Amino acid sequence: MVEVTVTPQSSLADRPGGGGVRGLSPSQLVTLRAWLGGGQGERFQSRAFFRADGAGGGGPALHAALGGSYSGVWPGGGVWFLQPDTLFRRLVKREGGGSPFRVRLEVLEGLSMGWGGGEQPLASCEAERWYVGPGGGGVPVREGRVRGALFLPP
């Protein structure tokens, strides 16, 4: 049985997260897809291609991605390389830091490039990524053409 995990399950967005897949056949080729829905109906996703090791495991923290949205070893690559499905969209946390982004991680058979909706994941899990830690807050920034938020610790 294939299983995908992410550690820690809940953390700040700028912290690298470890994760892995186990239960694959040795040398099996899989796609690890991370995705989330934005605040206005858009979707952001990344994908990385991995070949399972001799024990049937793999993942971004220990093994180099063979291609996709990134290549090489990136422990937080699934989240750090999220890109919009629609051009010119940005991943913005509109309601501040009071709730996390919920990122869905899925393991797909072989090299998967599309988003056909008919793809059945071999395994999936969910992770939370926060922009503000407990007790922290965000301050809107508007200076000239710069727009954003400054997230501060307690």
Side-chain angles (χ1 to χ4, degrees), residues 40 42 44 83-92 94:
Q40 300 194 349
E42 61 272 293
F44 296 82
Q83 295 189 5
D85 283 353
T86 306
L87 292 177
F88 309 113
R89 297 290 185 175
R90 288 180 282 177
L91 184 58
V92 176
R94 300 220 183 265

Side-chain angles (χ1 to χ4, degrees), residues 5-19 36 75-80 82 93 96-103 105 126-134 151:
T5 58
V6 61
T7 309
Q9 189 271 333
S10 182
S11 73
L12 292 174
D14 63 348
R15 304 274 193 244
L36 63 85
V79 174
W80 292 346
L82 288 169
K93 192 72 171 151
S99 64
F101 279 121
R102 287 182 168 61
V103 182
L105 300 167
E126 192 171 276
E128 294 179 339
R129 293 301 176 250
W130 295 82
Y131 275 88
V132 178
F151 294 104

Side-chain angles (χ1 to χ4, degrees), residues 12-136:
L12 292 174
D14 63 348
R15 304 274 193 244
V21 181
R22 48 181 189 215
L24 300 168
S25 301
S27 299
Q28 183 177 355
L29 193 59
V30 295
T31 299
L32 185 59
R33 177 172 61 198
W35 66 273
L36 63 85
Q40 300 194 349
E42 61 272 293
R43 185 175 321 175
F44 296 82
Q45 67 175 311
S46 69
R47 61 186 70 239
F49 311 131
F50 291 96
R51 186 171 297 283
D53 60 22
L62 301 173
H63 298 86
L66 304 173
S69 301
Y70 63 95
S71 60
V73 178
W74 288 87
V79 174
W80 292 346
F81 289 94
L82 288 169
Q83 295 189 5
D85 283 353
T86 306
L87 292 177
F88 309 113
R89 297 290 185 175
R90 288 180 282 177
L91 184 58
V92 176
K93 192 72 171 151
R94 300 220 183 265
E95 67 272 5
S99 64
F101 279 121
R102 287 182 168 61
V103 182
R104 186 96 177 141
L105 300 167
E106 298 175 337
V107 180
L108 304 167
E109 178 73 40
L111 300 177
S112 173
M113 293 298 296
W115 185 272
E119 299 170 307
Q120 185 65 31
L122 300 173
S124 64
C125 72
E126 192 171 276
E128 294 179 339
R129 293 301 176 250
W130 295 82
Y131 275 88
V132 178

